[in-house]
Amino acid sequence: MRKIDVCLSPDLVHLYDLTNTAVVVVDIFRATSCMVTAFAYGAKEILPVEDIDLCKSMQEKGYLISAERNGITPEGFDFDNSPFSYQIEKVKGAKICVTTTNGTVAIRKASTAPLLMVGSFLNISKVIEKLKSWEGDVLVLCAGWKGKPNLEDTLFAGCVIDELNTHFQVADDAALMAWQNYNIASKDLQTAVKNSSHVNRLLKLGIEKDIAFCLEKDKYQVLPLWREGCLSL
Amino acid sequence: MRKIDVCLSPDLVHLYDLTNTAVVVVDIFRATSCMVTAFAYGAKEILPVEDIDLCKSMQEKGYLISAERNGITPEGFDFDNSPFSYQIEKVKGAKICVTTTNGTVAIRKASTAPLLMVGSFLNISKVIEKLKSWEGDVLVLCAGWKGKPNLEDTLFAGCVIDELNTHFQVADDAALMAWQNYNIASKDLQTAVKNSSHVNRLLKLGIEKDIAFCLEKDKYQVLPLWREGCLSL
């Protein structure tokens, strides 16, 4: 039987064999939720980079640019790492270069996988649909926060397992625990995350509406895939 | 308020500030359960080392020696990494050199902490008692399995938080999740761990009675502490 596993931090991804594995990278607050939103609003391509200066330099090459460090957007970038900032006309047809604290690092670290997709609650049905038709194993890679596991990405991983547990065998304890954590939280994700450290960081930044938005399921029917060094539909 | 946190893998311990932190290292199946049992049976000192040849060489220096790799004991060692193997007369007053897949690595990685103790369900009340009187923060460091988180060490961490949540603030999401996982499992730990990957590995080794033993709470009133390069009471 195919196996599904969860990697709780990008700092642990070297422990997982990605040879025949579909990887779902998730950074609920807010990188992958933003990417999904951007594609839903017509973005043509997203290029995740780890270096902030490299990101800035891509503006000259016709990219819109997006940067976040520690939850905050530096001066001179087009987007502020809120999914609402991508809900504008100029996103349509655009190429966007993105760098964030956690999410882009996770994508780069998993880029050797034969299938790599960007997941969020916003597009979870598209993720599930793709994984059901995948014949190998699955790893949900949580972006976490600076290497540490976080609740919201783990809950997304648990939700994917909950949807796929008749199709895949739970591979290991991290996946089992994520599934349990999701079962506790599933009826009311917003209440469940209100004690989490990352949500408290975000609340200090005054972005309550981003939190509610990023926890909505199935808002968008897009599935960003990694192909030839960037994300596209 | 003092904070309590959980590190789910020794591969993530570099992310935690140990400067003013009491660290509890836990490897339920079976390194720290064995160590606690050995001290309960009168061991004088335990020296954890990472290298198996170094461990063997300590026999010439008057140590009893214990080794485990992948759950199995190599030839020529005094103990087989079962807590039952330490329940013998010759343990009394002995110095024991130990190397295991996960537990000894975790101890070495946290040895810079100002207070480092060995925890297991067998001595959890002694752990709790010590932490209540500690004035700094607390980190429970789970040994896991080859860098990956495991259920039983996480459940121990959650149990420690459950006991201390009126004395310490939960620091981060890993601790919050461990606490949730423990709350699900607390009424029947044996049933809770029966689906875990590590327990399935151990069951293949035919050591069901070790599993039941290592999940017993408060069997021993000993607290092994790290002092001057080794563990003692």
Side-chain angles (χ1 to χ4, degrees), chain A residues 145-193:
Chain A
W145 181 260
K146 296 184 179 179
K148 293 181 182 177
N150 74 24
L151 180 61
E152 63 278 10
D153 297 345
T154 307
L155 291 180
F156 172 85
C159 186
V160 171
I161 294 168
D162 199 54
E163 295 281 345
L164 290 177
N165 76 85
T166 56
H167 298 76
F168 290 82
Q169 183 186 345
V170 173
D172 209 345
D173 289 4
L176 191 66
M177 294 191 284
W179 192 9
Q180 290 177 351
N181 293 126
Y182 174 72
N183 281 331
I184 294 171
S186 61
K187 283 188 186 152
D188 185 351
L189 290 176
Q190 281 200 56
T191 301
V193 302

Side-chain angles (χ1 to χ4, degrees), chain A residues 5 8-9 11-12 14-16 146-152 154 171-174 176-177 180-181 184 195-198, chain B residues 5 8-9 11-12 14-16 146-152 154 171-174 176-177 180-181 184 195-198:
Chain A
D5 209 345
L8 294 171
S9 158
D11 285 19
L12 299 178
H14 62 282
L15 301 171
Y16 295 81
K146 296 184 179 179
K148 293 181 182 177
N150 74 24
L151 180 61
E152 63 278 10
T154 307
D172 209 345
D173 289 4
L176 191 66
M177 294 191 284
Q180 290 177 351
N181 293 126
I184 294 171
N195 289 321
S196 89
S197 57
H198 196 175
Chain B
D5 210 345
L8 294 171
S9 157
D11 285 18
L12 299 178
H14 61 282
L15 301 170
Y16 295 82
K146 296 184 179 180
K148 293 181 182 177
N150 73 24
L151 181 61
E152 63 276 11
T154 307
D172 209 345
D173 289 3
L176 191 66
M177 293 191 284
Q180 289 178 351
N181 292 125
I184 294 171
N195 290 322
S196 89
S197 58
H198 196 177

Side-chain angles (χ1 to χ4, degrees), chain B residues 4 88 161 226:
Chain B
I4 185 162
I88 53 173
I161 293 167
W226 182 260

Side-chain angles (χ1 to χ4, degrees), chain B residues 5 12 23 43 46 66 85 99 105 110-111 113 144 147 152 184 200 218:
Chain B
D5 210 345
L12 299 178
V23 176
I46 292 180
S66 169
S85 79
T99 184
V105 176
S111 60
E152 63 276 11
I184 294 171
N200 282 310
D218 296 334

Side-chain angles (χ1 to χ4, degrees), chain A residues 11-57:
Chain A
D11 285 19
L12 299 178
V13 75
H14 62 282
L15 301 171
Y16 295 81
D17 178 8
L18 305 184
T19 314
N20 190 30
T21 301
V23 176
V24 185
V25 173
V26 57
D27 183 0
I28 295 295
F29 301 138
R30 295 169 284 169
T32 60
S33 298
C34 283
M35 290 171 182
V36 167
T37 304
F39 280 110
Y41 276 78
K44 184 182 169 192
E45 174 193 320
I46 292 180
L47 177 65
V49 299
E50 292 185 35
D51 185 75
I52 205 160
D53 291 329
L54 174 59
C55 186
K56 201 156 197 171
S57 74

